[in-house]
Each structure stands twice: as C-alpha cells, then as structure tokens.
Amino acid sequence: MIRLLSPVALLLILAQPAVAQEPPQAAPVAEAEAPAEAGSTAAGSAQAETTQAETTQATEKQAPPEDLVRVRLVTAEGTMMLALDRGRAPVTTANFLRYVDQKRLDGVSFYRALTFPGRPDLGLIQGGIKSDPKRALPPIAHEPTTKTGLGHGDGAISMARGAPGSAQGDFFITLGPLTSLDAQPGGEGDTAGFAVFGRVVEGMDVMRRILLAPVSATEGTGAMKGQMIARPVAILSARRAD
C-alpha cells in the first residue's frame, strides 16, 4: 500500500519570516511503504473508514450553509473560476478576498507542481505571493476541515502554511481527492491539516496544464527539490466575478 501524503509529510510551504528571500520549503514527502498483511490491511481500512464516516457526519451537522463568492483567476495558461465558501470558511475566504481586492495577487505566479508517478489523476499546484514581504498580509487563524466540513477533493483550493495559524498569501489547488491533507483527529504530530476554502468550478483544464509544466531539477530545497516549475506560470489578475 502506498501512502501518498500525510499532513506532516507535506507541509506545502513552511511559514517563513516576512524578510525571508529563500524559496519555500517543505518537510519530506512520505515514501512508499511495504505492503501490509491482507488481514491487518482490511481491519485497518475498516477502522479508518468508520472513523472517517463518524468525523464526516459530525462536521456535516456543524457546518454552516454555503455562501459562495466567485473569483476569476486569469493566468498565462488560461482562466479558472473559483467558488470561495464564505459561509463555511469565513476567515480564510475573507483573507483571500483581501489579497484579491487589494490586487496583491496580480503578477504573482504558480511556482510549484507536485505530481505522483503512475498516478496522473493526482497532484497539486501551488501559487501565490511566495512569502514576498511587500505583498504579505498578517497571518490568519486556521480553519480546519473538521470545523468547516470542506475537504481536499478534486479542484479544492486550500491555504499553504507552516504551523497552524501561519497562512498568508500562498495557496494550492488539488487534482483528485487528497483527503490525507484534511485534518486528522486522533493522529500524531501536526494533525490540523490544511484550510480548504473553496473549489475550482471552471477551468480545471488550465489547472492540469499548469500541473504538467516542466519543473527544474535543481531548484527548491528539501522535498520540494524537483517540484518547482522551471518557468512559473504568471497569475495576471484575480478579480471578484459576482
């Protein structure tokens, strides 16, 4: 069984001081594990599914209704339409909209593409201010998926962060379900997951093109080496569409 991701293994961009000028970093990505015995795998899967179902039911009961705000993200590869869930993720959505309304995302880029060998249906692209102190706004409180009821499904948009409560102006978009990036109650270490606050409703073909962009073999540090897009894809503008 291959564990593709874990919340601790994929810290999408370690929060750096505003003055930091180095490329964003990440903790090591989990390597392939040896196959478990059939009996233990089935039992573990059943237990995990039960726990996940209980967590999902709890969050669905607590989650507020949708209140969507659409944002048009124009890139050098085409346009994506985002639907931000202000009702379920008010803090994170308000933060992103501040970057949009103040035009702090105009001229930044998608600079990272994470793919998985043999799994063309999975991946993510990361973009934003890249911790640029001239564009950064203060960090925001973390809204875990256990609170919002949202999850890292296909086309989810979520905040990159280091420690919980450090997210600013870097974000990522997922291809395929990457539910291991959701909060993991009862786990060990950093189990807060990443803060989903919306989804791509138009333009996933654009996302896929960016995901397939050539990456540099030398740029990036740690686990992010080999994931940095050789020619970052410019974000030309980000505007409310409603």
Side-chain angles (χ1 to χ4, degrees), residues 16-41:
Q16 301 176 353
V19 296
Q21 298 298 320
E22 298 179 357
Q25 302 179 9
V29 175
E31 297 179 353
E33 297 178 332
E37 294 182 3
S40 61
T41 301

Side-chain angles (χ1 to χ4, degrees), residues 72-96:
R72 182 177 291 107
L73 199 65
V74 181
T75 80
E77 285 290 342
T79 299
M80 286 182 278
M81 186 70 74
L82 313 176
L84 310 185
D85 202 327
R86 182 169 52 190
R88 298 183 182 184
V91 173
T92 314
T93 297
N95 173 70
F96 193 85

Side-chain angles (χ1 to χ4, degrees), residues 155-182:
I157 179 170
S158 186
M159 293 303 297
R161 67 167 179 85
S166 65
Q168 291 180 290
D170 290 276
F171 59 94
F172 62 96
I173 296 171
T174 59
L175 174 67
L178 294 176
T179 56
S180 58
L181 298 181
D182 294 347

Side-chain angles (χ1 to χ4, degrees), residues 132-146:
D132 181 351
K134 295 181 180 179
R135 294 179 182 268
L137 293 171
I140 57 170
H142 182 61
E143 289 182 306
T145 54
T146 46

Side-chain angles (χ1 to χ4, degrees), residues 66-72 81-87 93-94 96-97 100-101 157 197-199 201 239-242:
E66 284 188 340
D67 176 11
L68 302 181
V69 181
R70 298 199 308 163
V71 169
R72 182 177 291 107
M81 186 70 74
L82 313 176
L84 310 185
D85 202 327
R86 182 169 52 190
T93 297
F96 193 85
L97 289 175
V100 169
D101 294 341
I157 179 170
F197 61 102
R199 63 186 184 275
V201 292
R239 298 287 186 275
R240 296 191 193 221
D242 295 326

Side-chain angles (χ1 to χ4, degrees), residues 5-239:
L5 296 168
S6 73
V8 177
L10 186 61
L11 291 181
L12 294 166
I13 176 171
L14 292 182
Q16 301 176 353
V19 296
Q21 298 298 320
E22 298 179 357
Q25 302 179 9
V29 175
E31 297 179 353
E33 297 178 332
E37 294 182 3
S40 61
T41 301
S45 298
Q47 183 177 2
E49 289 175 0
T50 301
T51 302
Q52 183 65 34
E54 292 173 349
T55 301
T56 301
Q57 291 174 2
T59 53
E60 286 178 347
K61 291 179 181 179
Q62 298 171 4
E66 284 188 340
D67 176 11
L68 302 181
V69 181
R70 298 199 308 163
V71 169
R72 182 177 291 107
L73 199 65
V74 181
T75 80
E77 285 290 342
T79 299
M80 286 182 278
M81 186 70 74
L82 313 176
L84 310 185
D85 202 327
R86 182 169 52 190
R88 298 183 182 184
V91 173
T92 314
T93 297
N95 173 70
F96 193 85
L97 289 175
R98 281 192 290 271
Y99 281 92
V100 169
D101 294 341
Q102 296 176 28
K103 301 182 180 180
R104 292 174 182 263
L105 297 180
D106 292 13
V108 301
S109 66
F110 282 104
Y111 52 83
R112 182 187 183 196
L114 173 61
T115 59
F116 299 94
R119 294 299 304 270
D121 56 323
L122 294 177
L124 64 83
I125 59 174
Q126 182 172 320
I129 66 171
K130 210 173 181 180
S131 300
D132 181 351
K134 295 181 180 179
R135 294 179 182 268
L137 293 171
I140 57 170
H142 182 61
E143 289 182 306
T145 54
T146 46
K147 178 180 179 180
T148 63
L150 302 173
H152 290 87
D154 188 47
I157 179 170
S158 186
M159 293 303 297
R161 67 167 179 85
S166 65
Q168 291 180 290
D170 290 276
F171 59 94
F172 62 96
I173 296 171
T174 59
L175 174 67
L178 294 176
T179 56
S180 58
L181 298 181
D182 294 347
Q184 306 291 331
E188 298 180 357
D190 182 353
T191 61
F194 298 89
V196 180
F197 61 102
R199 63 186 184 275
V200 177
V201 292
E202 296 176 22
M204 278 299 287
D205 58 321
V206 176
M207 185 276 182
R208 292 185 181 90
R209 285 199 295 273
I210 298 174
L211 184 63
L212 295 177
V215 295
S216 168
T218 57
E219 292 185 15
T221 57
M224 289 182 71
K225 188 173 183 178
Q227 298 176 9
M228 308 304 285
I229 298 175
R231 298 181 63 181
V233 177
I235 296 175
L236 306 177
S237 65
R239 298 287 186 275

